[in-house]
Amino acid sequence: WGNSGDDSSSLPSEGSGGGNNNGGSQGGGSQGGGGVNTNPNSYNISNAVNYLVSHAYPSYNNNCGYCARAIREALEAGGLSTTGHPVSACDYDTFLPKIGFHSVDKNNYSPQKGDIIVLEAVEGHPNGHIAMYSGSKWISDFVQSDMWGGSAFRNKAEYTLFRR
């Protein structure tokens, strides 16, 4: 696991257990108000962000390492179906467009509430990383100090930004 601050070292894949008691790797976690809305045009960014904020650890710790699960559950809380979702964070770069997200130009980028960053795998992190912008901070399964989520990815990983 990580050995300092926001470092997200040696992250396991989404389905390998642990996490922050969000209800396991299946379904929408401990909250969500019933079934998932399958209307592809119905997505409530505020509901997604609120879910993510309320379930994230305040900083990286040994319970972290489930960023893909955290973002998936937030998307579900926002009303999206994530049927067929990938396990690894880095594979969300091809999944998010299938559920209505589009890539955002990195030049002169200004984050907006609900934006998602997908970071590709780097040495020691075969699952990559994923996080969502809350309107003030980048959050995965923990509140990050920046959009990278840790020194392993900062200025090293290829990444894609998404918006819906």
Side-chain angles (χ1 to χ4, degrees):
W1 298 88
N3 55 11
S4 67
D6 67 348
D7 192 7
S8 49
S9 303
S10 304
L11 300 181
S13 64
E14 174 185 345
S16 61
N20 54 5
N21 298 320
N22 284 355
S25 62
Q26 300 294 321
S30 60
Q31 296 181 5
V36 172
N37 183 346
T38 56
N39 179 347
N41 296 318
S42 178
Y43 177 56
N44 186 310
I45 292 171
S46 291
N47 286 354
V49 168
N50 291 342
Y51 181 91
L52 191 61
V53 167
S54 68
H55 287 79
Y57 290 103
S59 61
Y60 186 81
N61 63 58
N62 287 337
N63 294 312
C64 295
Y66 302 92
C67 58
R69 178 190 303 166
I71 300 304
R72 175 181 54 81
E73 290 179 350
L75 293 171
E76 291 170 353
L80 294 178
S81 171
T82 61
T83 301
H85 67 83
V87 174
S88 292
C90 59
D91 294 332
Y92 272 76
D93 61 349
T94 56
F95 177 73
L96 290 172
K98 294 176 184 175
I99 58 172
F101 284 82
H102 63 275
S103 61
V104 178
D105 190 345
K106 298 174 193 176
N107 296 317
N108 301 312
Y109 174 69
S110 180
Q112 293 182 15
K113 183 177 179 178
D115 283 1
I116 295 175
I117 184 171
V118 177
L119 296 127
E120 296 303 319
V122 295
E123 185 176 343
H125 302 274
N127 296 305
H129 186 64
I130 188 170
M132 181 183 286
Y133 191 67
S134 71
S136 62
K137 295 183 182 259
W138 286 95
I139 300 176
S140 56
D141 52 348
F142 66 99
V143 179
Q144 302 179 180
S145 63
D146 59 21
M147 74 180 204
W148 304 109
S151 59
F153 297 98
R154 193 174 293 112
N155 301 318
K156 298 174 190 164
E158 292 293 322
Y159 67 96
T160 308
L161 298 161
F162 291 95
R163 184 171 292 154
R164 191 173 198 277

